[in-house]
Amino acid sequence: MNLTFFNQFTSPQIMGVPLIMLALLAPSAMFQTQNNRWLTNRLSLLQLWMINLFTKQLMSPISKTGYQWSIILTSLMIMLLMINLLGLLPYTFTPTTQLSMNMGLAIPMWLATVLTGLRNQPTASLGHLLPEGTPNLLTPILIIIETISLFIRPLALGVRLTANLTAGHLLIQLTSTATFTLLPTMPTLSMLTMVVLLLLSILELAVAMIQAYVFVLLLSLYLQENT
Amino acid sequence: MPQLNPDPWFLILSLAWLTYILVLQPKILSNKSMNHPTNKNNEIIKTNPWTWPWP
């Protein structure tokens, strides 16, 4: 069978046995469970500090009723971060390139924020559909536009993560193929492409972390509007 | 594009949620901090540094 550049994104299988479970469990192994000791070690402390710092940063603009979401958002961030970072290693599979996983995370989370808002403060949540200070003539059109933008949010959330990671992995594969193919015939050009590849890898490292953060940040933003 | 193949969609979705709920959240919950979250106080507390036990 002919392999295309997209074949790196097929869900991995060995003889019919799906390996996606391994790809999803490995990132959890990167983050250790703390034991119950009062005095732990340096790494555990760093982990605890990172989690506390991140949670504090994320939850500070949200009201007190929204603090129940802190475990949801923090663990989501850790999961996406670890999955994205591990996917940058060669020959690993990144589950966040799968549209199914990202949409499956984005749609329920977004829906939960919207339903929380509609349940606890329906007037205020519906009031978000009309920005303050709009001229009276524009009201109906603006409500329609805001409703459409509300419904596009989960799609954008899921597809943003998928597309960023897919594009990054694809670019890495393309430039590395180019480097390899050019090596026998034009070695100088091959070295230049290798430099591009190195820069791209650094970019992908940043993108991996940033995209995880953006996902969670936007969710917290939607939460902020609705609590 | 293999991401659009709907065959493993449910498997990936359900396994992702299950890992998230059953594995990751308990891990993050086990990071108990020692103090309650308080507002910042202006005084600087002097503590003596102690030697960390190596893991």
Side-chain angles (χ1 to χ4, degrees), chain B:
Chain B
M1 256 181 72
Q3 286 109 320
L4 296 175
N5 169 25
D7 278 334
W9 270 43
F10 185 66
L11 186 70
I12 298 178
L13 202 143
S14 47
L15 286 179
W17 268 103
L18 281 176
T19 348
Y20 173 60
I21 294 176
L22 298 176
V23 175
L24 263 160
Q25 288 204 355
K27 271 190 192 253
I28 308 292
L29 276 172
S30 72
N31 291 290
K32 296 193 183 81
S33 70
M34 292 291 128
N35 310 314
H36 285 295
T38 54
N39 296 323
K40 274 190 190 173
N41 42 3
N42 287 327
E43 46 168 307
I44 306 170
I45 306 170
K46 282 203 169 165
T47 49
N48 295 323
W50 62 87
T51 47
W52 283 95
W54 278 104

Side-chain angles (χ1 to χ4, degrees), chain A residues 93-139:
Chain A
F93 177 69
T94 323
T96 38
T97 52
Q98 301 300 308
L99 205 57
S100 46
M101 170 169 165
N102 294 342
M103 295 300 281
L105 284 173
I107 295 184
M109 298 270 184
W110 162 83
L111 196 61
T113 59
V114 167
L115 290 178
T116 322
L118 281 178
R119 190 166 173 246
N120 298 335
Q121 38 174 55
T123 322
S125 297
L126 286 174
H128 282 302
L129 291 176
L130 185 66
E132 266 187 47
T134 62
N136 285 334
L137 281 174
L138 287 177
T139 311

